[in-house]
Amino acid sequence: FNVNAGIAKGLVDACAKYCPDAVIGLIVNPVNSIVPAMAELYKKKGLNPLNIVGVTTLDVVRANKFVAEITGKSPRDIAVPVIGGHAGTTILPLFSQDPIAATIAADKIPALDVRTQDGGTEVVEAKAGKG
């Protein structure tokens, strides 16, 4: 934790100084702890804490797979950006930003959001306590 938090702090400090209006996407573990801490750091500097977001590749892979299941396309051709945290409603898949995902009917997106947000739970339940 301390090593990753230190790296993130260095990045956030530099961005605060040189590009304070930038949105910073942090790919870091543990994302649920470090992103809020860095947002608080930004806030203490008088900057917008909402400009600090977390990115998790696992959630991206899940979102891409779910889009592939719906569209019949290969997950290799899909790249849905996912920002926010790494738990529940803090996970925000941006389906509109991928050309294939953007073809999915708007009324299907809320359920796809929830499935992506609950992807970890889905895996745990599928394993039924077997590791």
Side-chain angles (χ1 to χ4, degrees):
F1 176 87
N2 290 338
V3 171
N4 289 351
I7 293 167
K9 183 181 183 305
L11 175 69
V12 168
D13 283 340
C15 289
K17 182 175 180 179
Y18 297 107
C19 53
D21 295 325
V23 174
I24 305 166
L26 297 175
I27 301 173
V28 61
N29 275 327
V31 70
N32 283 359
S33 300
I34 293 178
V35 170
M38 296 305 110
E40 193 60 31
L41 176 66
Y42 232 49
K43 184 177 175 182
K44 286 180 181 176
K45 292 177 179 292
L47 300 172
N48 185 355
L50 298 179
N51 281 10
I52 309 293
V53 297
V55 179
T56 66
T57 302
L58 180 57
D59 296 323
V60 169
V61 170
R62 287 180 180 143
N64 293 347
K65 181 183 184 317
F66 300 151
V67 168
E69 288 174 354
I70 291 170
T71 63
K73 304 290 185 184
S74 171
R76 291 187 174 124
D77 298 328
I78 301 165
V80 175
V82 179
I83 62 171
H86 184 54
T89 58
T90 67
I91 299 169
L92 181 61
L94 305 177
F95 295 109
S96 65
Q97 300 305 300
D98 175 79
I100 294 171
T103 66
I104 297 171
D107 65 333
K108 296 191 184 300
I109 296 300
L112 200 52
D113 284 335
V114 170
R115 186 162 185 217
T116 303
Q117 292 165 345
D118 293 343
T121 302
E122 188 175 314
V123 170
V124 170
E125 289 174 356
K127 289 181 175 182
K130 294 183 176 139

